[in-house]
Amino acid sequence: MREIVFDTETTGLSAQNGDRLVEIGCIELINRVETGRVFHAYFNPQRSMPSEAQAVHGLSDAFLSDKPLFADKVEDLLEFLEDSPLVAHNAQFDFSFLNHELGQCARPIVAPTRMIDTLAMARTRHPGAKHSLDALCTRYGIDRSHRVLHGALLDAQLLAQLYVELTGGRQIGLMLAAEETVTVSIESRSTTVVARVARAARPHFASEEELRRHAEFVNRLTDPLWSEGLAAG
């Protein structure tokens, strides 16, 4: 099963109010295992970067000024995404920006049915707890010491690890490996059927010679215990 974990950075909180996508990072998972394939791009938003947003991700107007437009990279992005389910934390936010940019390029939007929201998953599993990416990484022991500012690719990598934990953890891989081992063992084992021939039962009664020798032995015994029982009877 192929899935794409992704994260975005933007100029603000609302695509409908003119904010734009400035970075996207995507991680490919196959059967909940990272394949090493990623898609990462920065975009020139064609507008100024508010200081509040820059404080979150560190992307300045100067840095983004020579980056391609979203429209210049959209085909590469869509080719990477294919029709796979898309995993994001607070997915409504990321989907709204992604679909707004796709609409601006006259491309079909991503259907909501492809959306997997790890924030909703975390709220179901841990009601009442903190559900930020930082808090959940701490809960599941995911190292985020190298995360100083938000970055789409870095956050997508952390989210990929979190998603695996939320959907069963590393035990998934262990169970799959065990199943594969059993399958190989069964397929490679040769079976030998041994035909057993029934034998006639052996006789268990004493022969005349054995009875005679037993009687001689008993007669040599002095005051055997059973003699007292016979006398009493």
Side-chain angles (χ1 to χ4, degrees), residues 140-167:
Y140 285 99
I142 298 170
D143 181 19
R144 55 180 178 83
S145 59
H146 51 305
R147 185 183 189 237
V148 180
L149 294 172
H150 287 249
L153 185 60
L154 173 58
D155 286 3
Q157 291 169 333
L158 293 174
L159 183 58
Q161 297 178 62
L162 174 61
Y163 178 56
V164 171
E165 295 295 342
L166 288 172
T167 53

Side-chain angles (χ1 to χ4, degrees), residues 3-6 26-29 32-35 87-89 118 121 125 133 136-147 152-172:
E3 297 168 297
I4 301 298
V5 180
F6 81 106
C26 306
I27 307 291
E28 181 186 61
L29 302 183
R32 309 285 162 78
V33 177
E34 293 184 44
T35 66
V87 182
H89 199 65
T118 52
M121 295 172 65
R125 176 166 290 194
L133 182 59
L136 290 166
C137 284
T138 299
R139 173 182 285 273
Y140 285 99
I142 298 170
D143 181 19
R144 55 180 178 83
S145 59
H146 51 305
R147 185 183 189 237
L153 185 60
L154 173 58
D155 286 3
Q157 291 169 333
L158 293 174
L159 183 58
Q161 297 178 62
L162 174 61
Y163 178 56
V164 171
E165 295 295 342
L166 288 172
T167 53
R170 298 177 182 87
Q171 294 298 323
I172 293 177

Side-chain angles (χ1 to χ4, degrees), residues 74-219:
V74 65
E75 294 304 329
D76 294 337
L77 174 61
L78 292 175
E79 181 180 353
F80 184 86
L81 297 180
E82 298 180 2
D83 59 352
S84 302
L86 303 181
V87 182
H89 199 65
N90 191 13
Q92 293 282 0
F93 176 86
D94 297 282
F95 266 64
S96 68
F97 273 92
L98 177 58
N99 281 334
H100 179 76
E101 296 291 347
L102 290 172
Q104 294 289 96
C105 300
R107 300 297 194 280
I109 65 172
V110 178
T113 53
R114 293 172 60 184
M115 180 175 68
I116 299 175
D117 189 357
T118 52
L119 177 58
M121 295 172 65
R123 284 173 172 166
T124 300
R125 176 166 290 194
H126 307 294
K130 294 181 178 179
H131 302 117
S132 68
L133 182 59
D134 283 343
L136 290 166
C137 284
T138 299
R139 173 182 285 273
Y140 285 99
I142 298 170
D143 181 19
R144 55 180 178 83
S145 59
H146 51 305
R147 185 183 189 237
V148 180
L149 294 172
H150 287 249
L153 185 60
L154 173 58
D155 286 3
Q157 291 169 333
L158 293 174
L159 183 58
Q161 297 178 62
L162 174 61
Y163 178 56
V164 171
E165 295 295 342
L166 288 172
T167 53
R170 298 177 182 87
Q171 294 298 323
I172 293 177
L174 294 177
M175 287 187 292
L176 289 175
E179 290 175 0
E180 290 173 359
T181 301
V182 171
T183 301
V184 171
S185 175
I186 292 173
E187 290 176 352
S188 61
R189 183 186 302 157
S190 59
T191 303
T192 303
V193 178
V194 179
R196 299 187 179 277
V197 179
R199 297 183 300 179
R202 292 179 296 173
H204 293 286
F205 54 84
S207 65
E208 291 183 2
E209 175 62 19
E210 290 172 332
L211 292 174
R212 183 185 64 76
R213 291 172 58 187
H214 176 69
E216 291 177 354
F217 173 78
V218 171
N219 289 334

